[in-house]
Amino acid sequence: VNQILGTAALLEGKAILSLDQTGLSQKGGPVVSHLKILDQSQPLSNKVGLASADAYLVFDLLGGTTEANLSHAQPEQTVAVASLSQTPTGTMVTSPAIRFPEEELLRRRLEAQTRAGQNVYLEAQELAERLFGSHMLANMIVAGAAYQAGLLPLSAAAIEQAIRLNGVTVETNLQAFRV
């Protein structure tokens, strides 16, 4: 999703700074991506600073509510679009006694660091499975919800063109973005 949104920004003549921290994903750990969309290039860090995010897309509620990740949000500025789907950690898979935290607790954590009244919540994995027969489109559904909430400074046409350029299950990803 980060690559698609970055490509869409470039298609619109904007500058981007991005950072993907994906190393742990190969071992069942979290993936964290940062994306700054700028009207013009600036000599800035590619990592979103503390308390400076405008939009916070949360594909994994457990990972998205850690202190480290929430530190980029600010209650007066950041709006979250969060999937409420429960994605178990590697430890949860191997140790069934470890339970997923209560959704209400995780929502309260998220709402304490964001503009709670404007946040968007959805069951992205359930929607993806019901509509497309696979959970693999859940992240694109979250991105589409962020666009529909007015949180992405990009046009739908640019995002859809970036999906086409990506070349992976194009029609299905377009449909998931439009949900």
Side-chain angles (χ1 to χ4, degrees), residues 67-96:
E67 187 174 327
N69 290 329
L70 281 173
S71 68
H72 301 282
Q74 186 195 115
E76 297 80 33
Q77 176 178 335
T78 309
V79 177
V81 177
S83 173
L84 298 174
S85 305
Q86 294 186 2
T87 306
T89 65
T91 305
M92 289 175 184
V93 171
T94 58
S95 302

Side-chain angles (χ1 to χ4, degrees), residues 54-57 78-81 118 120 145-154:
D54 294 321
Y56 186 39
L57 279 61
T78 309
V79 177
V81 177
Q118 294 183 312
V120 176
Y147 172 78
Q148 291 174 36
L151 299 175
L152 302 179
L154 303 166

Side-chain angles (χ1 to χ4, degrees), residues 62 65-66 70 101 104-114:
L62 190 56
T65 56
T66 64
L70 281 173
E104 189 57 37
L105 169 70
L106 298 177
R107 282 178 73 138
R108 280 196 308 266
R109 280 186 200 162
L110 186 60
E111 291 175 353
Q113 289 300 116
T114 59

Side-chain angles (χ1 to χ4, degrees), residues 158-172:
I159 296 170
E160 290 180 359
Q161 180 62 22
I163 290 169
R164 287 184 190 91
L165 289 171
N166 188 48
V168 178
T169 58
V170 172
E171 288 308 314
T172 312

